[in-house]
Each structure stands twice: as structure tokens, then as C-alpha cells.
Amino acid sequence: MPRRREVPKREILPDPVYNSQLVTKFVNVVMKSGKKTVAEKILYNALGLIHERTDEDPMKVFKKAVENVKPTVEVKSRRVGGSTYQVPVEVRPSRRLALSMRWLIQNAKRRSEKTMDLRLANELMDAATNRGNAVKKKEDTHRMAEANKAFAHYRW
């Protein structure tokens, strides 16, 4: 957190193939060690696989998957009088997007398919139909917040 002023958000340019800022952000999250072309190839191949299998617009499936994984509430630890409470807090829109993309990629990496393209394509298709581990992670987060609703008055 800066002390002097708020840091301005950088303008993200849309990607050349789908002309979408969401795709660019997703590529940036997939990217490791600055290898953007590798990350782009993984995502574009995954979207190509989605198009082959479902005969739908891959961008619709992709947007639906990201939307289905976005959490609305999460729990944050809050220390009050010597004990720590898990306090449910609403998630800011920018964090919702970041969490959903992170969860999709983490759960795609854990899958057992051979290549990352396949893993990501299957995880996105599962998430678009409200299945898969990324959606499960969101539901677990919501369940945790629901269980700790009694401590909501500790919000700061």
C-alpha cells in the first residue's frame, strides 16, 4: 500500500485474436517467467479445443466459465481480543476477477490430462457448466463465509 498517493490502474490492451481485455488478463495470469507467447499459445489452443468439441463460440464459454467461478464473499482473519475470527467480507470486483482466473488456472494445472492446453480447455468447459474444481473452490469459499456469518459484526 503506497503512503503518498493511489497508484493508477494500467490500461490493458485487448488481445489481437479475440479483441478482448479479459483474454489479455488471463494470458498474463497463465504466463510464467515472462514467456507471453507460450501463455498465449496455451490459451488460444485451449479455446480452439473448446470450439472443436462444443461447436459454440469459445469466447462465450470462456466468459461463462470466468463468471461462474467469481466469488461474491470470502473470509478474512481478524484478531479481536486474543482470538482470531474468520470474518466474512464482500469481494471487490477487481479481486473477484483475479481470484476466478487464478482458481481456473490452479485447478487446470492439477488435472491429469497430458498437455496444459487440454487441461485448461476441460477446466473451462467444466466451469462453464458449473462443474469442476474451480467452481467447487468458489462454493467452499461461500460455504465458509456462510458458516462464519455470526462474526460479520467484526468487519472493519
Side-chain angles (χ1 to χ4, degrees), residues 83-131:
S83 54
T84 307
Y85 298 109
Q86 295 285 316
V87 180
V89 177
E90 267 194 43
V91 187
R92 292 187 332 270
S94 59
R95 182 165 165 76
R96 290 175 74 188
L97 181 63
L99 283 173
S100 69
M101 292 192 293
R102 191 182 314 152
W103 290 346
L104 279 165
I105 291 161
Q106 280 175 353
N107 288 301
K109 284 180 182 174
R110 289 194 192 115
R111 290 178 80 102
S112 60
E113 283 93 6
K114 197 157 191 170
T115 63
M116 187 60 189
D117 311 350
L118 268 170
R119 293 176 194 163
L120 188 58
N122 289 335
E123 189 63 39
L124 287 170
M125 286 190 290
D126 283 351
T129 56
N130 273 323
R131 294 183 316 213

